[in-house]
């Protein structure tokens, strides 16, 4: 009889412990997402594909004149970008990507991994296959995704005012028809032309903080009617009418 009572008590204790542990695990796990779900908190020293996926989404927060490497390694630059992202959205800003940070990202993205205010379709008015450019279709599409997250950061910094894209990826034939340069970054899928409000000068001035190495605008030849943002290996900013 005594042993039976002891076994019963032990069973109750074990079940209670499991229930508590389950609640703790659920409390510390960010909700699932249709695009990508992070399964652990990330901080300096972490490596892996989950880090690279995070870097894509905070690539618009590298600080003035910088570009965040998408290398899957959580170093000081990634921690700083995460901190700026957290500050931008009023989160606890500690440079550690945990549940709160991931949940904000989930709110900001659609199930195809694009940010809620931009789509693949508007970054590619040339053809639906993303082919015919200077890189593979897959790479052009991947480049466009990174640019969309940078645009999302730029849009938020400009007061969440809509910004309109007029051109993104171009195949060689589309680029030729548009009168684009033979070395245009549009051929790589990592260039965007923007029109409408905010003003072109507001766009290019603010874009310097959001990971674009190529910024062209009013005062630069053939760029008085749009703002051009792109990525390249070296910095080239020119918008003389805007003080750049």
């Amino acid at each position: 009889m005594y042993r039976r009572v002891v076994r019963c008590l032990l069973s109750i204790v074990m079940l209670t412990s499991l229930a508590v542990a389950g609640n703790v695990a659920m409390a510390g796990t960010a909700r699932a997402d249709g695009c990508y779900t992070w399964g652990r908190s990330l901080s300096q020293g972490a490596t892996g594909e989950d880090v690279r996926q995070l870097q894509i989404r905070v690539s618009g927060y590298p600080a003035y004149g910088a570009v965040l490497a998408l290398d899957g390694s959580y170093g000081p630059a990634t921690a700083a970008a995460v901190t700026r992202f957290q500050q931008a959205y009023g989160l606890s800003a500690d440079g550690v990507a945990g549940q709160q940070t991931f949940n904000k990202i989930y709110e900001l993205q659609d199930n195809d991994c694009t940010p809620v205010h931009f789509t693949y379709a508007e970054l590619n008015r040339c053809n639906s296959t993303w082919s015919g450019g200077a890189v593979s279709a897959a790479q052009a599409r991947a480049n466009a995704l990174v640019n969309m997250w940078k645009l999302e950061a730029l849009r938020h910094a400009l007061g969440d005012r809509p910004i309109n894209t007029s051109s993104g990826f171009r195949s060689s034939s589309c680029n030729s028809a548009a009168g684009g340069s033979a070395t245009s970054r549009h051929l790589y899928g990592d260039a965007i032309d923007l029109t409408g409000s905010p003003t072109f000068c507001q766009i290019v001035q603010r874009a310097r903080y959001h990971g674009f190495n190529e910024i062209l605008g009013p005062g630069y030849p053939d760029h008085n009617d749009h703002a051009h943002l792109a990525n390249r290996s070296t910095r080239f900013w020119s918008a003389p009418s805007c003080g750049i």
Side-chain angles (χ1 to χ4, degrees):
M1 181 67 178
Y2 174 76
R3 291 180 179 176
R4 185 179 302 167
V5 171
V6 171
R7 283 199 299 270
C8 183
L9 289 173
L10 286 174
S11 296
I12 292 172
V13 170
M14 290 176 66
L15 288 172
T16 302
S17 298
L18 287 172
V20 171
N23 288 335
V24 170
M26 288 298 292
T29 303
R31 64 179 173 78
D33 182 72
C35 164
Y36 187 87
T37 301
W38 284 268
R40 58 171 179 159
S41 292
L42 299 172
S43 58
Q44 288 198 58
T47 60
E49 177 61 16
D50 52 356
V51 175
R52 193 182 74 85
Q53 290 292 331
L54 173 65
Q55 289 170 328
I56 290 172
R57 289 153 181 81
V58 299
S59 58
Y61 293 92
Y64 180 91
V67 176
L68 183 65
L70 310 180
D71 58 4
S73 179
Y74 204 119
T78 298
V82 169
T83 298
R84 293 185 192 96
F85 173 86
Q86 292 167 332
Q87 291 170 335
Y89 287 99
L91 307 179
S92 177
D94 57 6
V96 175
Q99 176 179 343
Q100 191 179 45
T101 299
F102 296 140
N103 283 345
K104 173 53 67 174
I105 291 173
Y106 296 153
E107 290 176 14
L108 290 173
Q109 73 180 5
D110 289 324
N111 284 344
D112 63 354
C113 298
T114 61
V116 292
H117 297 107
F118 300 95
T119 66
Y120 281 116
E122 67 181 301
L123 267 290
N124 180 3
R125 292 178 170 88
C126 175
N127 64 54
S128 61
T129 64
W130 296 83
S131 61
V135 292
S136 69
Q139 186 60 60
R141 198 169 189 269
N143 290 344
L145 178 63
V146 175
N147 263 5
M148 280 188 268
W149 281 101
K150 293 181 180 183
L151 285 178
E152 187 70 26
L154 173 62
R155 184 185 189 279
H156 186 58
L158 290 169
D160 288 313
R161 286 182 288 171
I163 51 180
N164 303 312
T165 65
S166 60
S167 182
F169 167 74
R170 298 174 188 164
S171 66
S172 295
S173 58
C174 288
N175 188 59
S176 179
S181 163
T183 59
S184 171
R185 298 306 304 181
H186 288 285
L187 295 165
Y188 295 81
D190 64 8
I192 322 105
D193 292 342
L194 304 172
T195 59
S197 63
T199 68
F200 302 143
C201 283
Q202 287 175 320
I203 290 172
V204 297
Q205 288 168 348
R206 187 64 217 180
R208 295 174 295 176
Y209 295 85
H210 297 288
F212 295 101
N213 253 351
E214 184 170 276
I215 302 174
L216 305 175
Y220 185 77
D222 301 321
H223 285 73
N224 288 324
D225 61 351
H226 68 282
H228 170 90
L229 308 178
N231 297 302
R232 50 184 284 161
S233 59
T234 58
R235 184 190 303 175
F236 181 50
W237 295 348
S238 183
S241 298
C242 303
I244 298 176

